[in-house]
Amino acid sequence: MPAAGGATDQLTFGVEEEFLLVDADTLLPAPRARAVLDRTAASSAGHDSGFHHELCASVVEAASAVCATLPELGARIRSGRAALAASARRENARLVSVGEPVLTAAEPEITATDHFHRMRESYAGVVTDQELCGCHVHVGVPDRDTGVAVLNHITPWLPTLLALTANSRYRHGADSGFHSWRMMVHTRLPAATMPPWHASAAAYDADLARLVDCGMVEPGQGSLRVARLSRRYPTVEIRIGDAAATVAEAVLYAALARALVRRALDDLAVGRTAGPLDHGVLDCALWAAARHGLHGAAVDPWRERETRAIDLLDALLAHVRDALDDLGDAAAVTALAAAARGRGCAATRQRAAAATGGAPAVVRMLGAETVAGVRVPDPPGLVDSVRRGGGR
């Protein structure tokens, strides 16, 4: 996404959404990203989102433009999904927002770029499981030192955001037992963990340089941690969320991420810095969120004990209440959070779908949720075909 910076009273943000392409007939991952993106580029001149390749040729990304308000971001998310879903239909594919493929038949095809092929060479067999989709939120910060201090503040809350967005229950057609299997797969990569506490941007950069020196990260690339400073933009990049099944869930996640940054900036403005917490406990909190989701057990990283994820969500909402008020997001977030509390995370809905129709029903449910409330143009000729009695 383009750069997003600015003062705290105009805290800009944007979202990068990754989606899986599945064959419309078999529901298996479909390596058609190049064709889908070519169609999207041809039909979306002047579009306010950017569309990109990812590691696997079955995954595409929509990156919103910089937004100042929650309604604006929601509109950008819907338009990005609409553009990709329309192009996918023309390639006999469906756009599915899910953290991990529900059904798989073969090792994923790697996108043909030098960078992605170097990843395949460096990480070997681990890459064969990295057919993953996340939702990344960028929030503008004034400078890198402030960004590091913000990361220190928001890190303990990241597992709660994962519990809220968990959307990868199934793998190879079977129930993994985890609400976010994507996170368990992601953390197999080098240093793909919770962000360590850093005293300054210099310390943060020295840590990244060590990863490069150890051969774990390419020079010029950012770390693989679940939140980081963007290497390209003046933003904090919160990467912990699974791909959001619905537009509403993407908007809620982005709103809470921005509110956490706003609260951190407000605390820093009055001299309240965040001290380090035990990194082992933070990793336990991440694991518990991936395992149990929103309505299960969690780890309180401050008290270093088991608690309930839903209680941590309530604590998060209380923590950012003033920030939400200042940003004008309080009413929307209150309603969206209440809906999430009632419906559960998408992984919970996946189990319910599987109980009635197995893994294929999970893919169909997620495909429908991905474009729910999104106006997706029909492929050319479809209307005439239907009028003549034809079908898809």
Side-chain angles (χ1 to χ4, degrees), residues 1-2 13-17 48-50 62-67 73 76-77:
M1 59 167 283
F13 65 152
V15 167
E16 296 170 350
E17 289 199 285
D48 53 18
S49 294
S64 78
V66 177
C67 300
L73 182 69
R76 308 272 185 171
I77 289 172

Side-chain angles (χ1 to χ4, degrees), residues 98-385:
V98 62
E100 162 101 0
V102 176
L103 298 167
T104 51
E107 181 175 323
E109 179 181 325
I110 302 303
T111 301
T113 69
D114 289 344
H115 171 60
F116 291 138
H117 280 300
R118 285 195 300 271
M119 285 186 65
R120 178 67 177 88
E121 182 177 347
S122 296
Y123 303 139
V126 173
V127 169
T128 64
D129 286 333
Q130 295 295 319
E131 199 171 13
L132 307 178
C133 300
C135 185
H136 304 166
V137 183
H138 286 260
V139 186
V141 289
D143 55 71
R144 288 176 63 79
D145 275 306
T146 302
V148 169
V150 165
L151 282 174
N152 292 338
H153 272 275
I154 70 173
T155 289
W157 296 106
L158 296 177
T160 302
L161 293 180
L162 177 61
L164 183 67
T165 62
N167 183 25
S168 47
R169 179 92 194 187
Y170 289 83
R171 59 187 296 268
H172 306 311
D175 189 337
S176 71
F178 281 74
H179 282 65
S180 176
W181 187 250
R182 164 188 163 269
M183 186 52 62
M184 303 312 296
V185 173
H186 174 73
T187 53
R188 295 175 189 168
L189 293 167
T193 59
M194 296 282 279
W197 185 91
H198 293 109
S200 64
Y204 178 98
D205 291 339
D207 176 46
L208 183 57
R210 278 192 296 272
L211 293 176
V212 174
D213 290 343
C214 289
M216 296 295 103
V217 176
E218 286 188 36
Q221 299 297 314
S223 75
L224 296 171
R225 293 187 172 114
V226 297
R228 66 188 185 185
L229 298 184
S230 172
R231 297 287 290 185
R232 295 178 293 169
Y233 312 124
T235 64
V236 168
E237 183 183 1
I238 299 170
R239 301 157 42 85
I240 197 162
D242 279 1
T246 67
V247 172
E249 286 166 323
V251 168
L252 174 60
Y253 168 48
L256 289 173
R258 180 168 72 152
L260 278 169
V261 174
R262 174 59 183 264
R263 171 61 195 264
L265 291 170
D266 290 345
D267 283 342
L268 292 168
V270 296
R272 287 195 292 267
T273 58
L277 298 176
D278 186 279
H279 201 269
V281 174
L282 289 171
D283 282 341
C284 287
L286 182 67
W287 192 94
R291 172 70 174 87
H292 300 295
L294 186 58
H295 285 96
V299 172
D300 184 322
W302 297 274
R303 295 188 299 161
E304 300 184 350
R305 60 182 296 177
E306 184 177 306
T307 187
R308 299 192 312 163
I310 201 71
D311 291 339
L312 288 177
L313 176 61
D314 289 339
L316 169 57
L317 292 168
H319 177 71
V320 299
R321 183 178 296 122
D322 289 345
L324 291 170
D325 282 335
D326 292 342
L327 292 165
D329 295 345
V333 168
T334 298
L336 291 169
R341 186 180 281 104
R343 297 181 70 196
C345 61
T348 301
R349 304 196 298 278
Q350 288 185 27
R351 286 194 77 190
T356 62
V362 176
V363 182
R364 294 188 186 98
M365 178 205 76
L366 291 169
E369 289 198 352
T370 300
V371 295
V374 175
R375 188 173 181 177
V376 181
D378 287 321
L382 176 63
V383 174
D384 291 339
S385 173

